[in-house]
Amino acid sequence: MTSLVSLRDVSRHFPLPRRRLFTRPVLRAVQQVSFDVAPGEVVGLVGESGSGKSTLGRVALGLLPATEGAVLFEGQDLGALRPAQMRAMRRHMQMVFQDPFASLNPRRSVGGAIAEVLALHGLPHGEADVGAALARVGLEAADMKRRPRQFSGGQRQRIAIARALAVRPRFLVADEPVSALDVSVQAGILKLLQELRGELGLAMLFISHDLTVVEAMADRVLVLYLGRVMEAGPAREIFRAPRHPYTAALLASAPGSKRPEMVLQGEIPSPASPPSGCVFRTRCPFALPDCAREVPPLRSVAPGHEKACIRDDLAL
Amino acid sequence: MNATAPLLEVRDLSVAFKGGAIQAVDGVDLAIGAGETLAVVGESGSGKSVTSLAVLRLFGRDDGAVARGRILWRGEDLLPMPEATLRRYRGREIAIIFQDPGASLNPVFPIGEQIAEVLRRHNGTPKRAARAQALDLLRDVGIADPERRIDSYPHQLSGGMRQRVMIAIALACAPKLLIADEPTTALDVTIQAQILRLLKALQARTGMGLLFITHDLELVADIADRIAVMYAGQVVETGPAAEVLARPAHPYTRALLECRPHHDADGVVRFAPIPGAPPRGIFPHGCRFAPRCALAEEACRASAIPLAAAAERHETRCRRWEVLA
């Protein structure tokens, strides 16, 4: 399988204010994450707030440089690109954010916002081109003269998608694209993303806290906790037969879950001082003394399915 | 008052804003008994939150809210009560928690003091006893290390812990009814599961009624005894939660369930958006869902549709519900 996007042992740290003279604390938002996205593939990213989902999404696009490791797009290391090369690369990699109210300039007409992106990448940006971009997301050419505030939340998210896809990217990071919307509006946006994916052969990193939505959208799923991958594998397997206790706990916590009850105690620790060994052990109902010793490596449990847990004796 | 009478009975409640220009709630009937959980479900603008705010008359001065109907609290109508009288019920008999606990807590006081203040004000508890009781309450709502946390400020706590503090404040006076307006919407699923479990445990212990406002139908399945689905200011379907979710008798309820990703007969994942958008403020004649309903026919638009029985204790505001079955 040739990959479109490839992350190799990627870490992203953020420096924190110095508290003592000789130590500089860091927040380890993402720790040694590796994964690939094939052309046209949708990879789902799940985990609680503070697990590093959004940071990882930005690193995968080169919006945030990796502190360690490399991000490759079609084999090219984003970290080695000069700024002009990076700008050219952006045409192939776009992003849709959670809040369509914040991601659109209120003073700019919708058509203007889309024409700007097209022009920036040296693409034709006449009314016909902008109209086509809007038509792709179910809006009308007449809408291009209107400003974002004249649209509902769902329509604004369509505009944000139209703008991201206007330049025909091959990779899209969608960070909680439907979380701010009503259920009936969510369904429309998800359906649209699924159709566009088929139409444009778009690969996606789909970030969401809503497990039902990820199950429906993703081919493969990465489960993050405190910046580390706990489990990665085909969506079907992850949701039907999770192999990591954290995945099992997340699934059991989802509203309406039919899985055996498994309420996690406490909250996710601070990424500024993660536990030693397995980062999940402080909340894991199955933790052993050995779990504190070293970080469990990801190991294969089935073809294309890995977990970072030393226990194989659990019935989850 | 007999034991089976509901704690709270809302009858034909209507709420309008801006001098009647915007109708938010229109003819809502609800009843909730001791120890019972009623979930009011709907999308933004359905009137679910306005209904809950109307119970305790928690509207801003500038909202220009006008409420009509009856809000019977153990047989007594709260609606015509003067503000000073109503204040005796707020917090003490009926408490409310909201989605954003950060906005409900005072940022400049430690949480322990905020709980103690409620006890002092409502019950006249002396200062030292109030602090001891606040500590017990923090322990009850599952705050780890309460001796240390009692002196924390809201910003030092996570969202989940702040919501626990809000629940502690709400429970301080042992209310008979707790209104929870999207209390877990801003929280992670793992924390949501903890909070729901906590609410259920507290309810089992105290026998309080729980009026749970939410947009999440899947969550309703986990917590509610009964459900009332709201659309455009009206209750469109109400009944036992399990039955309404398994056999919805209103096209809107059915459509809401189908909005969530689901597998069709061929195992293909489907999303079924509801066409159009809900009306806001000014409602169509006849069935308000008709413009978006696949089953609508001419007669649906002709005149207002009353709630009618679809099964025992299960009512729907649809002329054609039998077609759904």
Side-chain angles (χ1 to χ4, degrees):
Chain A
M1 180 178 73
T2 53
S3 52
L4 182 70
V5 182
S6 184
L7 276 76
R8 296 273 156 269
D9 280 319
V10 166
S11 298
R12 172 67 207 197
H13 300 164
F14 295 97
L16 292 170
R18 207 182 281 273
R19 264 175 297 180
R20 268 180 261 148
L21 187 55
F22 296 110
T23 56
R24 175 104 215 186
V26 290
L27 188 146
R28 295 167 202 280
V30 172
Q31 282 278 78
Q32 288 161 356
V33 171
S34 298
F35 68 91
D36 290 88
V37 186
E41 186 186 36
V42 177
V43 174
L45 207 50
V46 302
E48 290 163 277
S49 327
S51 62
K53 301 190 295 289
S54 292
T55 303
L56 191 55
R58 283 161 176 77
V59 171
L61 280 183
L63 291 174
L64 274 175
T67 311
E68 288 160 13
V71 180
L72 312 175
F73 187 84
E74 293 189 317
Q76 281 209 309
D77 186 346
L78 296 185
L81 295 180
R82 289 197 303 276
Q85 291 173 310
M86 189 66 219
R87 277 197 296 278
M89 192 64 108
R90 293 237 182 274
R91 188 190 152 183
H92 306 299
M93 320 161 74
Q94 290 285 322
M95 182 146 186
V96 174
F97 298 91
Q98 173 174 346
D99 186 355
F101 293 76
S103 62
L104 294 168
N105 182 344
R107 293 163 161 277
R108 196 166 201 130
S109 75
V110 163
I114 292 172
E116 182 186 32
V117 188
L118 289 169
L120 196 66
H121 290 286
L123 297 168
H125 52 278
E127 286 206 352
D129 307 291
V130 173
L134 286 172
R136 200 175 294 139
V137 300
L139 293 169
E140 288 165 24
D143 289 330
M144 71 175 81
K145 305 266 186 273
R146 299 163 70 196
R147 314 229 166 228
R149 67 162 182 277
Q150 293 171 279
F151 295 91
S152 68
Q155 286 173 320
R156 282 187 226 198
Q157 199 57 297
R158 282 175 192 267
I159 294 163
I161 293 169
R163 186 178 56 176
L165 299 186
V167 295
R168 298 283 180 140
R170 273 169 291 166
F171 180 49
L172 180 75
V173 173
D175 190 353
E176 301 275 6
V178 296
S179 305
L181 307 172
D182 266 320
V183 250
S184 63
V185 183
Q186 285 190 8
I189 297 290
L190 293 172
K191 194 170 171 213
L192 172 70
L193 282 173
Q194 226 183 22
E195 286 164 1
L196 291 172
R197 176 202 174 184
E199 212 172 286
L200 308 174
L202 196 62
M204 253 192 271
L205 186 60
F206 190 91
I207 303 173
S208 177
H209 70 281
D210 187 332
L211 299 164
T212 312
V213 165
V214 173
E215 182 178 12
M217 296 295 289
D219 303 310
R220 277 191 312 124
V221 173
L222 239 58
V223 183
L224 278 189
Y225 186 81
L226 271 183
R228 289 186 185 271
V229 176
M230 297 289 108
E231 183 169 5
R236 190 171 278 261
E237 286 180 33
I238 296 267
F239 285 98
R240 302 223 173 128
R243 305 294 285 268
H244 193 287
Y246 180 58
T247 315
L250 266 188
L251 293 178
S253 303
S257 163
K258 309 270 185 300
R259 299 187 57 83
E261 187 173 70
M262 189 172 162
V263 176
L264 286 183
Q265 301 301 309
E267 303 185 0
I268 191 165
S270 161
S273 52
S276 67
C278 171
V279 287
F280 180 57
R281 71 179 166 82
T282 53
R283 293 171 83 198
C284 181
F286 309 109
L288 303 171
D290 268 356
C291 296
R293 226 157 273 162
E294 57 184 38
V295 177
L298 274 169
R299 3 182 228 116
S300 178
V301 289
H305 190 162
E306 301 174 293
K307 72 165 178 181
C309 176
I310 60 170
R311 295 198 65 168
D312 287 320
D313 55 333
L314 304 173
L316 294 169
Chain B
M1 151 150 279
N2 72 56
T4 54
L7 278 176
L8 176 74
E9 210 181 342
V10 172
R11 281 196 208 151
D12 198 23
L13 177 73
S14 297
V15 183
F17 292 100
K18 313 264 179 232
I22 301 164
Q23 189 78 36
V25 171
D26 190 5
V28 163
D29 292 298
L30 297 172
I32 175 163
E36 189 182 40
T37 301
L38 169 68
V40 177
V41 184
E43 296 183 273
S44 346
S46 61
K48 59 187 191 301
S49 285
V50 173
T51 302
S52 72
L53 292 173
V55 171
L56 287 173
R57 209 186 298 161
L58 293 173
F59 298 114
R61 230 169 256 249
D62 303 330
D63 293 346
V66 182
R68 274 195 306 259
R70 306 185 79 187
I71 297 172
L72 301 172
W73 175 248
R74 306 169 91 196
E76 214 179 341
D77 197 349
L78 301 182
L79 208 50
M81 262 183 204
E83 181 68 21
T85 319
L86 185 63
R87 213 172 288 150
R88 290 206 295 269
Y89 293 81
R90 274 193 208 133
R92 207 181 302 175
E93 303 252 313
I94 306 172
I96 186 162
I97 56 175
F98 298 98
Q99 175 175 338
D100 181 3
S104 315
L105 290 165
N106 189 331
V108 301
F109 290 106
I111 54 164
E113 264 182 48
Q114 299 189 48
I115 302 172
E117 190 208 344
V118 174
L119 292 163
R120 284 202 302 274
R121 188 178 291 184
H122 284 298
N123 297 355
T125 315
K127 206 167 177 194
R128 285 189 88 135
R131 185 176 164 94
Q133 231 175 306
L135 197 61
D136 288 341
L137 281 162
L138 286 175
R139 200 171 286 124
D140 279 354
V141 297
I143 297 265
D145 199 2
E147 288 83 358
R148 192 166 64 84
R149 286 298 182 192
I150 193 167
D151 296 315
S152 297
Y153 289 86
H155 76 269
Q156 296 172 311
L157 305 178
S158 67
M161 277 203 268
R162 284 200 288 254
Q163 195 57 283
R164 287 175 192 270
V165 172
M166 282 314 298
I167 294 171
I169 290 175
L171 296 178
C173 297
K176 294 185 178 68
L177 175 69
L178 178 66
I179 301 175
D181 189 351
E182 302 262 12
T184 58
T185 303
L187 305 175
D188 274 312
V189 281
T190 52
I191 309 301
Q192 168 167 281
Q194 293 173 359
I195 298 285
L196 294 179
R197 176 189 255 201
L198 168 67
L199 287 175
K200 275 196 262 189
L202 292 168
Q203 190 181 26
R205 205 177 72 199
T206 64
M208 69 183 176
L210 183 58
L211 177 59
F212 201 97
I213 314 290
T214 181
H215 68 280
D216 188 338
L217 276 172
E218 282 149 339
L219 197 144
V220 169
D222 291 345
I223 55 148
D225 303 309
R226 285 188 308 115
I227 179 176
V229 181
M230 287 191 69
Y231 183 80
Q234 295 179 321
V235 172
V236 294
E237 181 169 9
T238 180
E243 186 183 314
V244 169
L245 295 174
R247 284 176 296 279
H250 195 284
Y252 176 63
T253 313
R254 159 82 69 97
L256 263 188
L257 287 166
E258 287 181 352
C259 282
R260 294 290 289 162
H262 57 281
H263 296 268
D264 66 9
D266 306 325
V268 180
V269 178
R270 291 201 357 108
F271 309 93
I274 308 175
R280 288 283 180 99
I282 298 157
F283 301 123
H285 291 291
C287 171
R288 292 176 182 181
F289 187 60
R292 306 173 73 191
C293 181
L295 297 179
E297 44 186 32
E298 221 23 66
C300 299
R301 299 184 182 92
S303 57
I305 314 291
L307 272 172
E312 206 191 329
R313 300 178 68 227
H314 184 171
E315 294 182 313
T316 175
R317 203 180 281 281
C318 177
R319 295 174 50 250
R320 307 201 65 204
W321 66 271
E322 275 158 309
V323 183
L324 275 181

